Amino acid sequence: MERSRIAVAGASGLIGSALVRSLVSDGHEVVRLVRRAARSDDEVCWDPEQQYVDAAGLAGCDAVVNLAGAGVGDHRWTEAYKKTMRDGRVFGTAALAEAVAALDTPPRVFVCGSAIGFYGDTGDREVDESAPPGDGFLPELCVAWEEAAAAAQERGVRTVFARTGLVVARRGGAWGRLFPLFKAGLGGRLGDGGQYWSFIALHDEVAALRHLIDTESLSGPVNLTAPHPVTNREITAVMGRVLRRPTPFAVPAPVLRAVLGEMAGDVLGSARVVPRRLLESGFSFAFPGIEDAVRAAL
């Protein structure tokens, strides 16, 4: 990429902060969207729940990347928290899309965060971007999340939906909770362990997002997952081997449902998602295997 001006919403999160570091290290100018008054030229004020963006701050941006949203696994899924997850993503995306569309010279690309939760429980069936949405809260959320970008698409801005899998990182996200458990010798499979987990190393996630920004042929949904999903049972074995800890424990499905409530359905559900469009566009993974990804995180 030539030196660019790129706006990032969700710049303080696990993926956003890693993306910002990568862009800045390569000499790009990053504008962060912040939920307070801007204090410098590299900040733009916004309030996703109120659908407000200081659109003037986006002027001159070559790309806008939206990774904002309350963590799916941060809290039990009460009705109030589900509303928080939905409102932040849907209203925030709509506000950014409308701000982008209103610019005299809009950015050349709008990368909108999404998730493989779009597909729901796929069982043993392998799915790519051509698959329809599944059933349940997360698929409904992802559909609404992506539809909220309509204003940018109608303006003719190339819009890409980054349907991200489980990001393997030492701190933050699902794996940020797994590592301490396994290090303490308390790790084990969840349920029967046969459910597929579609993962991606944090390094590859950042590289893939930059690939989406820079690849003019890509628009619409793109799965950001490693090429070969593995089962929770396989992940448990790899975590134990890499961390040199026993993995004797298994958390029965009824216990997970009692502890996690509705979210347990997604923990026990299977998502066998492959990155067809990413691979076809020439992207190369640095850490394609689960052991590679776990060792990279450490």
Side-chain angles (χ1 to χ4, degrees):
M1 289 171 58
E2 296 180 358
R3 187 176 186 276
S4 302
R5 176 178 168 89
I6 301 170
V8 180
S12 62
L14 169 66
I15 300 170
S17 59
L19 175 63
V20 168
R21 285 195 301 272
S22 175
L23 291 169
V24 170
S25 71
D26 282 345
H28 298 290
E29 180 184 356
V30 175
V31 177
R32 299 166 177 82
L33 277 79
V34 295
R35 304 187 190 209
R36 52 168 171 74
R39 296 172 183 164
S40 60
D41 291 340
D42 64 353
E43 292 183 344
V44 174
C45 177
W46 84 317
D47 185 334
E49 284 77 14
Q50 298 300 317
Q51 293 186 260
Y52 168 75
V53 180
D54 181 5
L58 301 179
C61 285
D62 301 288
V64 174
V65 182
N66 178 23
L67 302 173
V72 171
D74 289 354
H75 296 278
R76 190 181 178 93
W77 288 3
T78 62
E79 290 304 314
Y81 193 67
K82 286 198 291 185
K83 184 176 185 301
T84 296
M85 286 193 288
R86 180 184 175 88
D87 289 357
R89 286 169 170 79
V90 175
F91 293 161
T93 299
L96 276 173
E98 289 164 9
V100 161
L103 293 171
D104 292 336
T105 304
R108 56 186 175 82
V109 60
F110 179 34
V111 177
C112 181
S114 186
I116 61 169
F118 177 94
Y119 305 105
D121 189 340
T122 72
D124 292 336
R125 178 172 52 93
E126 192 174 86
V127 299
D128 61 21
E129 293 88 350
S130 65
D135 299 316
F137 171 69
L138 278 185
E140 291 172 3
L141 171 59
C142 290
V143 169
W145 192 1
E146 295 182 9
E147 288 178 346
Q153 291 176 299
E154 291 167 2
R155 180 69 164 81
V157 176
R158 180 169 67 88
T159 302
V160 191
F161 302 108
R163 292 179 181 167
T164 296
L166 293 168
V167 178
V168 185
R170 186 171 59 178
R171 297 184 180 89
W175 246 273
R177 292 174 172 77
L178 289 180
F179 274 121
L181 289 174
F182 277 86
K183 284 182 178 179
L186 301 175
R189 72 178 189 274
L190 304 178
D192 65 11
Q195 67 273 31
Y196 279 88
W197 282 17
S198 296
F199 67 93
I200 184 168
L202 179 59
H203 174 97
D204 285 331
E205 171 73 11
V206 170
L209 287 169
R210 294 189 57 169
H211 183 77
L212 299 185
I213 293 171
D214 202 38
T215 305
E216 295 293 335
S217 61
L218 285 173
S219 62
V222 180
N223 294 334
L224 270 54
T225 60
H228 306 293
V230 292
T231 64
N232 175 258
R233 189 183 298 111
E234 292 173 281
I235 288 170
T236 299
V238 167
M239 291 285 284
R241 182 166 63 251
V242 171
L243 294 171
R244 299 180 181 179
R245 294 291 188 274
T247 56
F249 301 102
V251 184
V255 174
L256 278 172
R257 292 190 181 97
V259 172
L260 300 178
E262 185 180 350
M263 185 169 58
D266 289 277
V267 172
L268 295 167
S270 187
R272 194 175 185 180
V273 180
V274 294
R276 178 182 60 83
R277 298 194 66 211
L278 196 59
L279 292 172
E280 288 177 351
S281 67
F283 182 79
S284 179
F285 286 86
F287 305 102
I290 183 59
E291 186 159 340
D292 300 325
V294 170
R295 292 189 183 280
L298 294 171

